[in-house]
């Protein structure tokens, strides 16, 4: 069965640089969520989209922005990167907000 | 205090043991309850999904939800070394809630099943 695809899988950036993370949801899933997981921590919700509209926003820094495109894929844009942004970034998709979420393999971002 | 509390363990059991993992929560708006398994540096893998109170069984896994006590459990029967991972409980609110769909996770329990 098709799963959530995230790219790139690994990304190394320097402080103050910009990064773009991409997420391709499971086919026919129109709801996308972004989570950040620091070392030894549980995933923290960043932002979500339902039918290409932002549906909820969590503890996402103003330096980050995201959108969902017409084909339902989503991109998380991160600017002015800081050392503390180093983490695993997961995308999850769902056919509807009331249904279970399926996670992608994650993008490991390292900021040096 | 976190909305969802989970004993981080670590939990170490012999192969074949029954494992019990638990979470408590404080937000009465939570209606959807999930258990995820996460191997090191991998994405969380959905194990069980339940709506409201009750039990659900899937193979060696049984999920229980007691909304009156704000308590959920995951039982793993005949545990295997391949079950060694971090187990995360997660919950979300019902439609109409302020954070519909967003998952709130427990801290995760590290489980090791030794042969």
């Amino acid at each position: 069965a098709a799963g959530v695809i995230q790219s790139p899988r690994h990304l190394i950036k320097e402080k103050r640089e910009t990064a773009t993370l991409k997420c391709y949801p499971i086919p026919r899933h129109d709801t996308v969520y972004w989570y950040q997981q620091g070392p030894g921590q549980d995933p923290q919700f960043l932002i979500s989209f339902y039918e290409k509209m932002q549906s909820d926003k969590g503890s996402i820094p103003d330096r980050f922005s995201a959108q969902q495109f017409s084909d339902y894929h989503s991109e998380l844009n991160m600017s002015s990167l800081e050392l503390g942004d180093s983490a695993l970034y997961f995308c999850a998709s769902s056919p509807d907000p009331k249904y279970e979420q399926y996670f992608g393999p994650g993008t490991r971002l390292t900021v040096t | 205090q976190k909305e969802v509390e989970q004993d981080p363990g670590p939990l170490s059991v012999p192969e074949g043991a029954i494992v019990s993992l638990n979470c408590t929560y404080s937000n009465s708006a939570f209606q959807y309850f999930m258990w995820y398994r996460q191997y090191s540096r991998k994405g969380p893998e959905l194990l069980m999904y339940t709506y409201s109170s009750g039990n659900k069984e899937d193979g060696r896994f049984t999920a229980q939800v007691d909304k009156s006590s704000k308590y959920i459990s995951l039982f793993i029967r005949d545990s295997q070394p391949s079950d060694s991972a971090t187990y995360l409980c997660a919950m979300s609110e019902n439609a109409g809630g302020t954070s519909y769909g967003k998952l709130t996770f427990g801290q995760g329990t590290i489980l090791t099943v030794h042969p």
Side-chain angles (χ1 to χ4, degrees):
Chain A
V4 176
I5 298 172
Q6 289 188 248
S7 68
R9 295 293 309 278
H10 303 275
L11 193 56
I12 299 175
K13 292 286 186 178
E14 295 187 354
K15 283 196 308 182
R16 292 179 289 279
E17 284 193 320
T18 296
T20 297
L21 279 56
K22 297 185 179 182
C23 169
Y24 298 87
I26 293 170
R28 291 180 294 283
H29 284 197
D30 54 15
T31 309
V32 168
Y33 304 84
W34 286 96
Y35 294 86
Q36 178 192 58
Q37 187 176 31
Q41 299 180 2
D42 55 283
Q44 296 293 312
F45 171 75
L46 292 177
I47 195 166
S48 62
F49 295 88
Y50 175 54
E51 279 291 349
K52 293 165 278 188
M53 299 284 290
Q54 181 181 308
S55 54
D56 198 5
K57 199 171 182 180
S59 49
I60 182 170
D62 292 340
R63 302 177 286 107
F64 294 7
S65 65
Q67 57 181 323
Q68 186 177 30
F69 295 85
S70 58
D71 63 352
Y72 295 104
H73 95 273
S74 177
E75 294 183 5
L76 177 66
N77 298 293
M78 310 160 70
S79 62
S80 302
L81 287 168
E82 301 173 357
L83 294 178
D85 296 329
S86 296
L88 268 170
Y89 290 84
F90 291 109
C91 169
S93 76
S94 174
D96 185 273
K98 66 176 176 286
Y99 294 125
E100 57 270 38
Q101 296 180 25
Y102 295 89
F103 281 73
T107 294
R108 178 170 295 280
L109 173 66
T110 302
V111 181
T112 62
Chain B
Q1 188 174 359
K2 287 175 64 79
E3 276 189 297
V4 181
E5 296 283 352
Q6 182 177 3
D7 185 345
L11 189 59
S12 181
V13 301
E15 183 175 356
I18 297 174
V19 176
S20 172
L21 305 166
N22 311 293
C23 288
T24 59
Y25 62 94
S26 56
N27 185 351
S28 57
F30 286 143
Q31 293 282 343
Y32 302 95
F33 304 92
M34 282 143 272
W35 286 94
Y36 287 88
R37 176 172 63 193
Q38 186 174 28
Y39 295 109
S40 180
R41 299 191 171 200
K42 304 290 186 186
E45 172 192 1
L46 180 67
L47 289 176
M48 300 290 282
Y49 167 79
T50 52
Y51 170 69
S52 197
S53 284
N55 295 354
K56 185 174 183 179
E57 187 173 322
D58 185 0
R60 296 185 295 112
F61 300 93
T62 300
Q64 291 185 348
V65 175
D66 182 350
K67 289 192 65 186
S68 62
S69 301
K70 296 190 177 68
Y71 186 87
I72 70 170
S73 301
L74 177 71
F75 297 95
I76 307 174
R77 291 183 298 281
D78 188 25
S79 56
Q80 303 294 310
S82 58
D83 294 329
S84 299
T86 297
Y87 289 78
L88 295 153
C89 63
M91 325 183 170
S92 64
E93 296 181 4
N94 206 354
T98 56
S99 295
Y100 183 36
K102 156 201 164 186
L103 290 182
T104 301
F105 285 85
Q107 300 96 315
T109 299
I110 299 171
L111 171 67
T112 300
V113 181
H114 51 87

